[in-house]
């Protein structure tokens, strides 16, 4: 009788795994569409950030090291 219990538990676990795997596989198209939108959004954010960095670099005045005097040693 002990074997019947283990067999029942094994069948139940395998059935649960099949149900969960089926549910996950049904969600793949939805998840992939969401992932594609997220990746596109992240690329837009990264491009905007890079563009703003380039604009900021162009707007900053050039360092004027030639005009700065070094402190003289005594």
């Amino acid at each position: 009788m002990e074997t019947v219990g283990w067999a029942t538990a094994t069948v139940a676990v395998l059935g649960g795994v099949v149900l969960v795997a089926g549910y996950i596989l049904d969600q793949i198209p939805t998840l992939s569409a969401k992932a594609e939108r997220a990746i596109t959004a992240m690329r837009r954010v990264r491009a905007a950030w890079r563009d703003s960095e380039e604009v900021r670099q162009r707007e900053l005045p050039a360092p004027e090291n030639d005009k700065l005097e070094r402190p003289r040693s005594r």
Side-chain angles (χ1 to χ4, degrees), residues 21-38:
Y23 175 76
I24 291 172
L25 291 175
D26 286 342
Q27 299 300 315
I28 288 176
T30 305
L31 293 175
S32 64
K34 287 180 182 180
E36 185 178 339
R37 285 195 305 265

Side-chain angles (χ1 to χ4, degrees), residues 4-34:
V4 174
W6 281 105
T8 304
T10 303
V11 169
V13 168
L14 289 176
V17 168
V18 168
L19 285 175
V20 170
Y23 175 76
I24 291 172
L25 291 175
D26 286 342
Q27 299 300 315
I28 288 176
T30 305
L31 293 175
S32 64
K34 287 180 182 180

Side-chain angles (χ1 to χ4, degrees), residues 11-67:
V11 169
V13 168
L14 289 176
V17 168
V18 168
L19 285 175
V20 170
Y23 175 76
I24 291 172
L25 291 175
D26 286 342
Q27 299 300 315
I28 288 176
T30 305
L31 293 175
S32 64
K34 287 180 182 180
E36 185 178 339
R37 285 195 305 265
I39 290 169
T40 304
M42 288 302 298
R43 287 180 178 163
R44 275 189 258 134
V45 167
R46 187 172 50 185
W49 183 51
R50 285 182 182 165
D51 291 343
S52 68
E53 287 289 322
E54 289 174 4
V55 168
R56 191 178 314 139
Q57 290 296 328
R58 279 186 252 139
E59 291 176 352
L60 289 175
E64 299 182 19
N65 292 334
D66 297 337
K67 295 181 179 180

